[in-house]
Amino acid sequence: MKYLSLLLFILLPTSLLAQSGDKEGTFNAPNIDQLMIRVDAGMTINITGSDTEQITYTYEFDGNDQAYNHLFENFDPKFSNNGGSGYLNIEFPAHKKKNVNYRIKKNILTLNIPSQIELELVSRYSKIDVSNIARTTRIENRSGSVKLNNIGQSVTVSNEYGNIDVNSINGDVDIASRSSRVDAKNITGNLKVRSNYSKMNLSKITGILNIENKSGTVNAFDLDSDFIANGDYTNYELTNVRGDIQISNKNGTISIDDAESILISGDYSNVKASNLKGDKIMIESRSAKLELSNVLGSVIVNGGYLNIELENISNDVSITNRSGKVTAKEINGSFIINGDYNKIKLDDFKGSEIQMVNRSGDIEINALNDLNLINIESSYTPIKLNLSSPFSGNVRFNITYGKLSHPYKLNNATLVDERNSTKIEGTVGNGNGRMYIESRNGNVTINQ
């Protein structure tokens, strides 16, 4: 058995044998204002700033012979200082062999550097962790993770195909990536993220957020400023935004709770928004479902093939919808809709003005307060108008191929009753209201 073990050891390829080692060193770096670090090989890089005038490094390695000979044996940092700018360069020779078989268990570079500097780090395929830097920090990494914590000024990160995590940044943050997971929180400044095909978690941002994401998910909450986003196939979940929201999207879901004004342009994007405190809500969409509730400002919707649900809107509502369904409850301002093939139901209406143009579909209105203006033009549409308060003012009905039922005894009435057509004008009471209803191929019923 002893000889068999020896034979197996002899037959093992040398490339699979493991070797490990540590290297340490220190560079004096008095009075440097900037530090630029270049590492041309992938590894774990941990950088911490402290109250020091030295750069201290530790390199830990554990891997097979081939990796050990190329990386650990050639690890030889070079540092230079020129007019307050420090340069730390870690470079490895080019591979002499075409077939490289690295097996690495540990490849860690740990740096302790002065904190009161501007830092720039360029690497590739590295896992990077930087903390406690008082000045601006810039990280460029081709692929791998980047983590930044407790940075005193602005941050710039460029990282392809790797996760990015920034926390406690006292300045603006600019992130660029192609596909990654982005986590950003506790940012005292603006946040700009350009990262396609990514998942983003953003919170506690005091400045303006500007997001670009072609496809992915954006979760953001507890924001103290405006949120601006541009993406094609992105899902958004936004909560507690103490600013305006502007989103351009083609297809996805948009969920908003507790924000100011919103402006959304999104074909095939479902929108659900509540507790909006701004002056204006504007949505342009088509072939989607829109749900808005508890809105203090006015609501403007332009689109087609929309299923719209509104509840507790404190101001005016204006809708253009070519075809779909509109259900509205507790509208306190005026209600205006212009469209074709819409089924419309207006419940517990508290406003005073209603204007509708519709080509086909049921119209049902249940009004709680006095109405000053009712102007409805429709065809192939049954109309049912239920009034809790008696109407007072001018009345004009023009009904073709339909029946008219109303409770009014008109003053100064004129009646034109022709074949398949009835035109009636007159006044009710002493008010200044106007009720104009024109219908073709549909019955009109008014109850009060």
Side-chain angles (χ1 to χ4, degrees):
M1 191 68 173
K2 176 180 178 181
Y3 297 105
L4 178 60
S5 300
L6 180 60
L7 178 62
L8 290 174
F9 179 79
I10 295 173
L11 293 177
L12 260 169
T14 57
S15 61
L16 298 181
L17 298 177
Q19 291 199 54
S20 62
D22 298 340
K23 289 185 178 181
E24 297 180 352
T26 299
F27 300 107
N28 291 322
N31 302 319
I32 64 168
D33 188 61
Q34 299 175 322
L35 176 60
M36 282 147 276
I37 302 173
R38 301 289 188 272
V39 182
D40 78 341
M43 62 180 64
T44 298
I45 304 173
N46 299 320
I47 301 176
T48 303
S50 65
D51 186 14
T52 181
E53 290 188 344
Q54 293 182 324
I55 298 172
T56 303
Y57 69 84
T58 300
Y59 182 55
E60 304 170 77
F61 185 87
D62 188 352
N64 65 359
D65 280 353
Q66 195 174 50
Y68 181 91
N69 293 334
H70 184 78
L71 295 172
F72 186 79
E73 292 291 352
N74 291 304
F75 181 83
D76 186 20
K78 304 296 183 183
F79 177 74
S80 62
N81 188 349
N82 183 11
S85 295
Y87 301 88
L88 179 63
N89 189 42
I90 300 174
E91 187 174 2
F92 298 89
H95 295 288
K96 296 180 179 180
K97 298 180 180 179
K98 292 184 178 181
N99 296 324
V100 177
N101 183 21
Y102 286 172
R103 298 201 176 189
I104 301 173
K105 294 176 62 177
K106 182 187 294 185
N107 191 19
I108 303 173
L109 172 64
T110 301
L111 293 168
N112 186 64
I113 65 174
S115 61
Q116 300 294 326
I117 58 165
E118 295 181 1
L119 174 65
E120 178 180 312
L121 169 63
V122 177
S123 186
R124 54 181 180 166
Y125 313 113
S126 291
K127 180 181 179 181
I128 298 170
D129 191 328
V130 179
S131 61
N132 300 328
I133 302 299
R135 304 276 298 279
T136 60
T137 301
R138 177 180 176 271
I139 307 296
E140 182 179 333
N141 192 37
R142 184 171 181 181
S143 181
S145 65
V146 174
K147 185 175 182 180
L148 298 172
N149 183 58
N150 193 23
I151 307 299
Q153 293 181 356
S154 63
V155 163
T156 302
V157 177
S158 176
N159 185 40
E160 297 184 11
Y161 311 109
N163 296 338
I164 300 170
D165 187 336
V166 294
N167 183 16
S168 299
I169 311 299
N170 189 27
D172 296 342
V173 175
D174 191 328
I175 296 173
S177 180
R178 294 184 66 179
S179 179
S180 65
R181 177 189 173 105
V182 178
D183 292 279
K185 61 182 178 180
N186 299 318
I187 310 298
T188 306
N190 301 325
L191 173 63
K192 183 176 183 179
V193 182
R194 293 155 291 163
S195 185
N196 298 325
Y197 318 106
S198 296
K199 177 178 175 61
M200 304 181 191
N201 296 306
L202 317 172
S203 64
K204 297 184 182 301
I205 317 295
T206 62
I208 297 174
L209 280 78
N210 198 316
I211 308 298
E212 293 183 15
N213 190 16
K214 284 187 176 181
S215 178
T217 302
V218 176
N219 296 319
F221 62 94
D222 200 5
L223 310 179
D224 282 319
S225 190
D226 297 342
F227 179 93
I228 303 171
N230 187 4
D232 293 338
Y233 306 98
T234 303
N235 298 323
Y236 297 91
E237 185 171 348
L238 312 177
T239 307
N240 296 333
V241 180
R242 291 172 289 276
D244 298 338
I245 294 174
Q246 182 176 330
I247 296 175
S248 178
N249 200 31
K250 285 186 177 181
N251 193 336
T253 60
I254 300 172
S255 176
I256 301 171
D257 182 23
D258 194 1
E260 299 296 321
S261 296
I262 64 174
L263 172 60
I264 296 175
S265 175
D267 294 344
Y268 318 107
S269 292
N270 296 328
V271 178
K272 185 175 183 179
S274 60
N275 302 315
L276 306 177
K277 307 177 185 68
D279 295 334
K280 187 173 292 186
I281 309 303
M282 299 183 65
I283 299 175
E284 294 186 5
S285 186
R286 59 178 177 173
S287 299
K289 183 176 182 179
L290 309 181
E291 299 176 73
L292 303 176
S293 62
N294 301 330
V295 178
L296 293 181
S298 61
V299 173
I300 300 174
V301 177
N302 293 315
Y305 315 103
L306 298 174
N307 184 354
I308 303 171
E309 296 182 10
L310 308 176
E311 183 173 358
N312 191 21
I313 311 300
S314 298
N315 216 309
D316 300 336
V317 173
S318 177
I319 297 173
T320 300
N321 190 31
R322 183 174 181 182
S323 177
K325 181 179 179 181
V326 179
T327 302
K329 184 178 181 181
E330 297 182 32
I331 308 300
N332 292 273
S334 62
F335 186 86
I336 302 172
I337 182 169
N338 190 337
D340 299 331
Y341 314 107
N342 284 290
K343 183 177 181 179
I344 303 168
K345 186 174 183 181
L346 190 56
D347 262 339
D348 297 336
F349 180 69
K350 299 178 181 179
S352 61
E353 296 185 4
I354 298 173
Q355 299 187 61
M356 295 183 179
V357 176
N358 196 39
R359 184 172 178 181
S360 178
D362 297 347
I363 295 176
E364 181 178 347
I365 300 169
N366 298 299
L368 299 179
N369 299 329
D370 295 339
L371 295 180
N372 294 328
L373 174 62
I374 307 165
N375 191 341
I376 301 175
E377 299 179 25
S378 67
S379 57
Y380 309 99
T381 302
I383 301 171
K384 188 175 183 180
L385 179 60
N386 300 314
L387 306 179
S388 297
S389 298
F391 176 79
S392 180
N394 298 320
V395 173
R396 183 173 68 203
F397 302 117
N398 188 352
I399 312 299
T400 305
Y401 299 109
K403 296 180 180 180
L404 172 64
S405 175
H406 67 85
Y408 303 124
K409 293 182 179 179
L410 300 178
N411 302 317
N412 304 316
T414 61
L415 171 64
V416 178
D417 194 359
E418 298 177 346
R419 184 179 180 181
N420 301 321
S421 177
T422 300
K423 296 180 181 179
I424 301 175
E425 292 190 36
T427 61
V428 180
N430 300 318
N432 297 318
R434 291 177 293 167
M435 180 185 293
Y436 301 153
I437 298 178
E438 183 175 342
S439 176
R440 182 179 179 87
N441 293 92
N443 297 330
V444 177
T445 304
I446 301 172
N447 299 310
Q448 73 175 33

